Amino acid sequence: MINLVRNELTKIFSKKAIYIYTAIILSLVVGVCIISNKLSNSDTNGISNSYLEALEEGLDSYNLEDEMELRWYIGDKVIVEAGKLSQKYKADSPERYFIDDVIEPLYQEKYQKQYFYKDIEGANNVQIEIDKVIAFLDNFDWKKQILDEKKVINDSIKEIETLLLEDKDNEDLKKSLEALKLELWILDYRLDNKIPYSYSSESSLLDYYKELSNQYVNLKDEKLIQNKEELNRVRKTKAEYATVLYKLENNLVNEKQETIDYIIMCMSSIDGFIVIALIIICGTIISEEFNKGTIKQLLTKPFSRSKILTSKIIACLIAFTLFILLYQTVFVLANCWETNSLSNILGTNVVYDYGAGVAREVSVLGQIIYAFLSTLPAYIIMFLLIIFIGTLTTNSVATTVIGFASFIGGDLVTLWVSEKVQSFIPLCVWNLSPFMYGGVHDNVYITFGKSLVIDIFTIVLLTVLSYVVFKKKEIKNQ
């Protein structure tokens, strides 16, 4: 058996296509990360002078008597005015965010009044306000901005608390008070952790937490929910809320976290590059033997057909495993290098444990491995499907087409088949990543137990069929 496996490995690694494909894919992964790293470290603000100049020159071409063209004119004019201001600042700066959030809407209001409603006085009043905020921008103090917001919110809280003294059972007032206190907590968090309004991941996470909190306070009690889809939605919202809150309370918010989340997301998905490698490695290992007649040479030796097929399967598994280890290692290291987050691989990440109902920290390296293992049934089923099709048809083209079709088939099935039927189709249940840490699938009919049973049954069925067909396969004279 060892000699057979060694012989099959020699055949696999003699294919130039494997080396060419591996080199192309690894170069692509590394190249994209290098380019992304250079772009992220540059001082570019993301707005091109030529783009603004082209927009400004194009303003004269609009017919302001036409309502639709007038709207386009106003939109382009706003972009030009705000863009000129934005060019002074980096894309992730608080000033840039302030321009988009405060100044750009003011320009929109001004030009709407000036051109659309012919309200010149109103447009001039808005311009006065624009001049004030631009003056504030020249000496921008993001802390003052937040302190001013806090003052407004504190005044609103006092007003609502006064109203509640007279109407203690008013649920709308209580919800408004809770929402205002949440906003106040977020503002304090920004001040304490020096997180201004910006497009940074830290600031975005705080905005996302505010959005989740508003959803969370309106969630129903799980015991009162009869609909499975609504129950899944409630559980996922709770999971997101608890995860984000844990990160905020434990100061685990940083730019590098996005890279780790991206890697884990990729590991939890079926990777097309890996599927293509699987087809290259396994697609011709059987069909070529029959088509070229070399299978006769193996059968003249004291080896049963079962041993021959087993050796081919083992050799493919070894080659495929080596490719995965190389590809995934380069992918992880390149992406971590891109954002200077290599040390984070040895750190922890926050996940939600659905079983315990709490967010907790887990090893990043362990989570990456766990995420990949959750996709392993899909790769095993595709691997065995390619082996079976190769044995059945002895046609390399058919094997390649069907192998790749199985990769995209799951998405196509969801468009044509009901969710209940999908829960019995291997293509729809072979990825177990939705069930990580006790999670739930978007399709309420798909459960971990059912998916596992179907995956195991499919693996056993394809294995048995491959051996049965291989044993009975007729050898043509070449």
Side-chain angles (χ1 to χ4, degrees):
M1 178 63 75
I2 294 176
N3 289 333
L4 275 174
V5 172
R6 188 183 294 117
N7 182 51
E8 295 301 332
L9 284 172
T10 301
K11 294 177 185 177
I12 291 172
F13 288 113
S14 65
K15 296 178 182 178
K16 292 181 180 179
I18 292 176
Y19 300 102
I20 294 172
Y21 178 74
T22 303
I24 290 172
I25 295 306
L26 296 185
S27 299
L28 182 63
V29 169
V30 174
V32 168
C33 289
I34 290 173
I35 293 170
S36 181
N37 177 264
K38 288 185 176 181
L39 289 175
S40 62
N41 290 330
S42 66
D43 292 328
T44 180
N45 54 31
I47 298 178
S48 161
N49 271 324
S50 58
Y51 172 68
L52 290 178
E53 288 172 1
L55 275 184
E56 195 165 17
E57 289 175 5
L59 292 175
D60 295 332
S61 65
Y62 286 110
N63 176 14
L64 302 188
E65 300 301 320
D66 183 275
E67 182 179 328
M68 184 59 69
E69 290 203 29
L70 177 59
R71 292 183 185 277
W72 292 339
Y73 173 83
I74 291 172
D76 285 354
K77 197 166 180 64
V78 169
I79 292 173
V80 169
E81 295 292 350
K84 288 178 179 178
L85 285 173
S86 298
Q87 281 191 312
K88 302 176 185 178
Y89 309 102
K90 294 181 69 172
D92 61 349
S93 65
E95 290 90 348
R96 180 69 172 276
Y97 186 91
F98 183 78
I99 291 170
D100 292 347
D101 189 54
V102 178
I103 299 179
E104 188 172 313
L106 286 173
Y107 274 121
Q108 183 75 31
E109 183 183 353
K110 174 194 170 181
Y111 293 129
Q112 285 279 357
K113 289 185 176 181
Q114 180 178 341
Y115 294 104
F116 205 76
Y117 300 109
K118 308 299 182 183
D119 181 5
I120 304 303
E121 184 181 351
N124 290 336
N125 289 334
V126 176
Q127 183 60 53
I128 293 171
E129 183 64 26
I130 291 173
D131 292 338
K132 287 180 182 178
V133 293
I134 289 178
F136 175 71
L137 184 65
D138 290 336
N139 300 286
F140 192 71
D141 184 354
W142 67 268
K143 289 184 179 179
K144 183 180 183 306
Q145 180 191 10
I146 290 178
L147 288 171
D148 288 345
E149 281 190 49
K150 281 190 64 178
K151 184 178 182 304
V152 173
I153 291 174
N154 276 319
D155 290 342
S156 298
I157 287 175
K158 288 177 182 178
E159 289 179 14
I160 292 177
E161 286 177 339
T162 301
L163 292 172
L164 279 172
L165 290 175
E166 301 174 2
D167 189 2
K168 295 180 180 180
D169 298 325
N170 191 315
E171 292 299 322
D172 290 335
L173 286 176
K174 288 179 181 179
K175 285 185 178 181
S176 297
L177 182 62
E178 191 174 347
L180 287 170
K181 286 182 176 179
L182 169 66
E183 287 188 42
L184 196 61
W185 184 87
I186 292 174
L187 291 175
D188 284 331
Y189 189 94
R190 287 185 180 278
L191 289 170
D192 294 341
N193 294 277
K194 300 179 180 179
I195 305 175
Y197 288 111
S198 69
Y199 293 110
S200 68
S201 59
E202 293 96 332
S203 182
S204 298
L205 188 66
L206 284 168
D207 292 337
Y208 183 46
Y209 174 66
K210 180 180 175 180
E211 178 188 332
L212 281 173
S213 297
N214 292 330
Q215 295 177 26
Y216 183 77
V217 296
N218 294 309
L219 291 178
K220 293 181 182 178
D221 187 330
E222 289 187 21
K223 296 178 182 178
L224 303 177
I225 300 174
Q226 301 296 323
N227 185 286
K228 286 185 178 181
E229 291 182 0
E230 186 179 1
L231 182 61
N232 276 4
R233 182 183 62 79
V234 167
R235 287 175 176 172
K236 288 191 174 185
T237 301
K238 284 183 176 180
E240 282 289 303
Y241 174 80
T243 302
V244 173
L245 180 60
Y246 187 96
K247 289 179 180 179
L248 294 174
E249 290 180 338
N250 293 277
N251 292 317
L252 298 174
V253 184
N254 60 74
E255 294 280 355
K256 297 176 182 179
Q257 185 60 46
E258 284 188 349
T259 302
I260 300 301
D261 291 340
Y262 170 71
I263 290 172
I264 292 168
M265 179 193 73
C266 291
M267 291 291 184
S268 304
S269 306
I270 311 301
D271 194 315
F273 290 148
I274 295 179
V275 173
I276 294 173
L278 185 60
I279 292 170
I280 292 173
I281 292 170
C282 309
T284 59
I285 195 166
I286 293 176
S287 57
E288 282 187 353
E289 293 277 17
F290 281 93
N291 292 333
K292 293 179 179 179
T294 52
I295 188 69
K296 293 179 181 179
Q297 298 174 12
L298 288 173
L299 294 176
T300 57
K301 298 177 182 179
F303 301 123
S304 65
R305 290 199 178 197
S306 294
K307 279 190 176 182
I308 292 171
L309 181 57
T310 301
S311 68
K312 290 180 180 294
I313 290 175
I314 293 173
C316 286
L317 283 173
I318 292 172
F320 183 53
T321 301
L322 290 174
F323 174 83
I324 286 177
L325 289 174
L326 178 60
Y327 169 71
Q328 299 288 33
T329 300
V330 172
F331 176 81
V332 170
L333 293 179
N335 277 277
C336 288
W337 169 83
E338 177 198 336
T339 53
N340 299 314
S341 54
L342 282 171
S343 59
N344 286 43
I345 292 293
L346 302 177
T348 59
N349 191 30
V350 181
V351 300
Y352 184 76
D353 188 329
Y354 283 82
V358 295
R360 61 185 177 90
E361 292 180 54
V362 298
S363 160
V364 170
L365 192 57
Q367 189 182 9
I368 289 173
I369 295 171
Y370 186 14
F372 176 72
L373 289 177
S374 68
T375 64
L376 208 52
Y379 292 125
I380 292 174
I381 291 172
M382 272 190 277
F383 164 76
L384 290 171
L385 178 63
I386 291 169
I387 292 292
F388 170 65
I389 297 301
T391 305
L392 182 66
T393 65
T394 63
N395 186 310
S396 300
V397 175
T399 304
T400 301
V401 170
I402 294 175
F404 197 75
S406 68
F407 167 57
I408 62 175
D411 293 331
L412 295 177
V413 167
T414 58
L415 298 175
W416 301 328
V417 180
S418 68
E419 289 191 339
K420 197 166 188 178
V421 175
Q422 289 172 32
S423 66
F424 294 97
I425 300 174
L427 299 180
C428 300
V429 301
W430 59 10
N431 186 354
L432 302 179
S433 61
F435 307 109
M436 289 174 62
Y437 306 105
V440 291
H441 201 284
D442 289 335
N443 184 336
V444 295
Y445 297 101
I446 298 177
T447 63
F448 174 72
K450 182 190 285 187
S451 299
L452 192 60
V453 169
I454 292 173
D455 288 349
I456 292 173
F457 174 79
T458 305
I459 290 169
V460 172
L461 179 64
L462 287 173
T463 302
V464 171
L465 288 175
S466 296
Y467 276 95
V468 170
V469 172
F470 191 79
K471 284 181 179 180
K472 295 182 178 181
K473 194 70 180 177
E474 180 183 350
I475 302 173
K476 297 179 182 179
N477 292 319
Q478 300 291 328

